[in-house]
Amino acid sequence: MGPEKQSDTKKASGAGCLFIFAVPFAIGGVVMLVLTGREIASVNPDWDAAFVWGGCGLVFSLIGCGLIWAFRRVSAIEREARERRECHPDSPWNWREDWADGVLRCETTRSRRGAWVLAVFWNLVSLPLCFALPGELEKGNWLILLGLIFPLVGVGLLARAVLLTLRLRRFGVSRFQMGVVPAPIGGRLGGVIEVSAKLQPEDGFRLRLTCLRKYRRGTGDDRRTVEKVLWQDEQTMSHDLLDRDPLRTAIPVSFRIPEDVAPSDDTDPDDKTIWSLRATASVPGLDYCAVFEVPVFQVDDSAVIAASDVDPAEKYRLQEPAHCPGRSKIRVEPQPDGATEVIFPAARNRGAALGLTLFVAMFAGATWLQAHLGAPMIFPVVFGGFTALLVVCAVELWLGVTRVRLEPDRVLVTTRTLGLGRTRELAADQIREVITRIGMTSGRTVWYDIEILPHAGRRLCAGRHLRDKREAEWLAEEYRTMLGVVSMAEAEAETEKVGG
């Protein structure tokens, strides 16, 4: 069975699950409404029971009808996609209508609908807990407090749905008009983001292109979805294409796509590769944000790839130095003996450190509450072990310091946290390459590490948690220059030149 057939089977199974879940909700809602009618029509109706049965019946009926509508909608979409795949078996970018047309709608609309459905469903399910909470506390059942996580999550989901709705009402539905469909690997993703409102951010438009692998891991109750960033690039546009238009904004987009990345692939719903374009801007009131899923594929048209060598958005791009000493917290200090020392100070990523600290506090509180309320020992032990691991990571973010000393014939990397650490040394003639790679991630936000690869042995990490990719690449180039290391790309280019 080919990947397309497997995809059709899994999608059909997903649509069937919607229908299977819809039937009991719909039947249960009808039964509850019938019981409500019988109670009301009785000689001495119990209005409290009628209220309960009627409310539950209405909720179940609405959920059942919503699932049936979703089943019909998903079935129609999958049928249309199947017809497109049959018509264009060798061009997967034509399997989606928006990709084929080259006009991509912002995912905010779809996300808003899903956010409202999830928020309403979650809060309806959590509502009985709120009514049962006072009575259980009077009985001395303090374990019921652990259930407060569900209504708190419901409040967060509701806030997210409201935020997406307000953003959509203010900025409308943004569209990304692609220059070339699909964006070729080894070429350039170009086009214009059209916004039905005038945006004039002081610090420009921030664009981020991400290649993301989204897959499912585990089985049964342990099954979960994992997102892994494979590649990412960012840039800032100083202004838009329609400076004098008071009602519209056109944001230029131009990203160079390397040759060694994975193409878009959604043939397997359990293991997909997604290319996502995100545009943000800080404006008064509610900030602008738009996300597009873009088609990136390997194509055989060498003319398209060659034409993409020209960057049409160069004059709109905000030109910033790769390493700005006044803005960067990383210090590059020349030494009197001719060496260069690069210092990565503590607490340079305060946002990430603070977020992780709050996460640690939440887990520590849950661990204490479980132990205090006499929960089975396995739960506080597992939570406590995970909390200890998070504490180590948080301490390293707040207090970890790295010093990299670059000399013509060697490199020394010293790491210290709370005065504890070590120094590693590597001779320059033992170094094969200096690279940057994605290290720590938080959702789709990534930080970069600089690694020194020896000809033999373990790699040496010479700088961690750099938020700016251009700064990480600049530092890696500085390392190569100081140590006399030729990059792999330069070595390959020199080999081709000699061979030619």
Side-chain angles (χ1 to χ4, degrees):
M1 182 181 292
E4 291 81 4
K5 294 295 184 181
Q6 294 179 6
S7 176
D8 291 343
T9 302
K10 291 182 179 180
K11 290 180 179 178
S13 176
C17 288
L18 285 174
F19 185 77
I20 292 174
F21 279 109
V23 171
F25 274 103
I27 294 177
V30 171
V31 171
M32 292 179 186
L33 291 176
V34 170
L35 292 176
T36 302
R38 291 182 59 182
E39 186 64 38
I40 293 175
S42 62
V43 178
N44 295 313
D46 185 347
W47 292 106
D48 291 338
F51 175 78
V52 172
W53 284 112
C56 293
L58 182 61
V59 170
F60 273 63
S61 299
L62 290 175
I63 294 176
C65 293
L67 290 174
I68 292 175
W69 176 86
F71 164 73
R72 293 174 59 88
R73 177 65 176 167
V74 170
S75 298
I77 293 175
E78 291 174 355
R79 183 170 57 253
E80 180 180 352
R82 188 164 51 250
E83 293 174 354
R84 285 180 170 273
R85 284 196 294 271
E86 293 174 354
C87 295
H88 307 279
D90 298 326
S91 52
W93 53 89
N94 287 316
W95 296 355
R96 287 177 44 169
E97 182 179 0
D98 55 343
W99 284 5
D101 295 339
V103 181
L104 282 59
R105 288 168 57 92
C106 175
E107 296 184 359
T108 303
T109 304
R110 184 175 58 184
S111 300
R112 175 182 61 92
R113 294 171 182 171
W116 275 111
V117 170
L118 180 59
V120 171
F121 178 77
W122 188 282
N123 283 281
L124 287 175
V125 173
S126 304
L127 191 61
L129 178 64
C130 298
F131 289 108
L133 185 62
E136 293 296 323
L137 290 177
E138 290 179 0
K139 297 177 183 178
N141 183 16
W142 295 98
L143 281 174
I144 194 68
L145 291 174
L146 293 176
L148 285 177
I149 187 66
F150 293 99
L152 291 177
V153 171
V155 172
L157 293 174
L158 187 61
R160 177 175 178 269
V162 171
L163 176 64
L164 291 175
T165 301
L166 293 176
R167 184 170 285 155
L168 185 64
R169 290 177 64 87
R170 178 177 180 183
F171 303 112
V173 180
S174 299
R175 291 176 172 80
F176 176 41
Q177 177 71 55
M178 296 186 64
V180 176
V181 181
I185 291 179
R188 189 176 295 277
L189 169 70
V192 177
I193 298 176
E194 301 173 353
V195 187
S196 301
K198 190 61 182 177
L199 306 178
Q200 294 178 318
E202 294 182 358
D203 54 353
F205 301 92
R206 296 179 294 278
L207 305 177
R208 179 193 301 171
L209 180 63
T210 304
C211 178
L212 184 78
R213 183 189 174 198
K214 191 173 183 179
Y215 60 98
R216 294 179 182 174
R217 175 186 294 177
T219 58
D221 295 338
D222 192 38
R223 191 172 178 84
R224 62 192 184 279
T225 300
V226 180
E227 291 188 352
K228 180 180 180 181
V229 177
L230 304 179
W231 179 87
Q232 189 176 93
D233 195 11
E234 298 182 13
Q235 55 186 231
T236 302
M237 296 297 173
S238 58
H239 60 285
D240 70 311
L241 302 173
L242 304 174
D243 280 341
R244 299 182 180 180
D245 193 322
L247 301 177
R248 297 181 302 153
T249 303
I251 308 170
V253 176
S254 182
F255 281 95
R256 184 71 183 181
I257 302 176
E259 299 179 354
D260 57 347
V261 294
S264 302
D265 184 6
D266 63 350
T267 54
D268 185 356
D270 291 340
D271 192 352
K272 301 189 292 185
T273 301
I274 300 171
W275 282 82
S276 175
L277 173 64
R278 178 185 177 90
T280 58
S282 298
V283 293
L286 193 64
D287 289 341
Y288 172 77
C289 179
V291 181
F292 307 89
E293 185 178 343
V294 297
V296 177
F297 290 92
Q298 188 76 52
V299 298
D300 298 329
D301 193 344
S302 58
V304 172
I305 298 178
S308 62
D309 289 338
V310 179
D311 187 357
E314 182 67 27
K315 63 180 180 179
Y316 298 96
R317 186 173 292 107
L318 186 62
Q319 301 295 336
E320 295 181 334
H323 178 77
C324 181
R327 178 173 56 87
S328 176
K329 296 180 180 179
I330 299 171
R331 304 197 304 272
V332 181
E333 301 177 351
Q335 302 299 306
D337 58 357
T340 299
E341 194 167 273
V342 183
I343 303 173
F344 298 82
R348 63 183 179 277
N349 293 302
R350 296 182 180 179
L354 180 60
L356 183 57
T357 302
L358 294 176
F359 197 62
V360 170
M362 182 184 69
F363 262 83
T367 303
W368 174 86
L369 186 61
Q370 290 172 356
H372 180 71
L373 298 178
M377 184 58 64
I378 184 64
F379 293 104
V381 168
V382 172
F383 271 70
F386 190 64
T387 301
L389 179 62
L390 292 177
V391 167
V392 173
C393 296
V395 170
E396 194 275 332
L397 282 176
W398 282 113
L399 304 175
V401 177
T402 301
R403 290 177 175 268
V404 181
R405 180 178 173 83
L406 301 167
E407 301 177 1
D409 59 342
R410 65 173 183 169
V411 57
L412 295 94
V413 179
T414 303
T415 57
R416 290 284 187 271
T417 302
L418 294 175
L420 303 176
R422 62 174 180 171
T423 299
R424 292 185 61 188
E425 178 181 345
L426 192 62
D429 57 4
Q430 297 177 354
I431 299 174
R432 175 168 56 92
E433 172 64 299
V434 180
I435 65 170
T436 61
R437 72 173 186 87
I438 294 175
M440 181 177 66
T441 63
S442 176
R444 300 189 182 185
T445 301
V446 303
W447 286 261
Y448 295 88
D449 297 343
I450 302 177
E451 292 188 344
I452 300 177
L453 307 182
H455 290 287
R458 290 192 308 160
R459 59 183 61 192
L460 176 62
C461 184
R464 303 181 65 187
H465 311 326
L466 286 90
R467 181 64 190 90
D468 192 327
K469 181 180 180 180
R470 294 179 64 245
E471 184 176 33
E473 292 175 342
W474 177 83
L475 283 174
E477 185 60 33
E478 288 293 304
Y479 287 10
R480 296 189 193 101
T481 302
M482 288 295 300
L483 297 171
V485 177
V486 179
S487 68
M488 293 182 181
E490 293 176 350
E492 292 176 358
E494 186 64 26
T495 301
E496 292 180 358
K497 182 178 180 181
V498 173

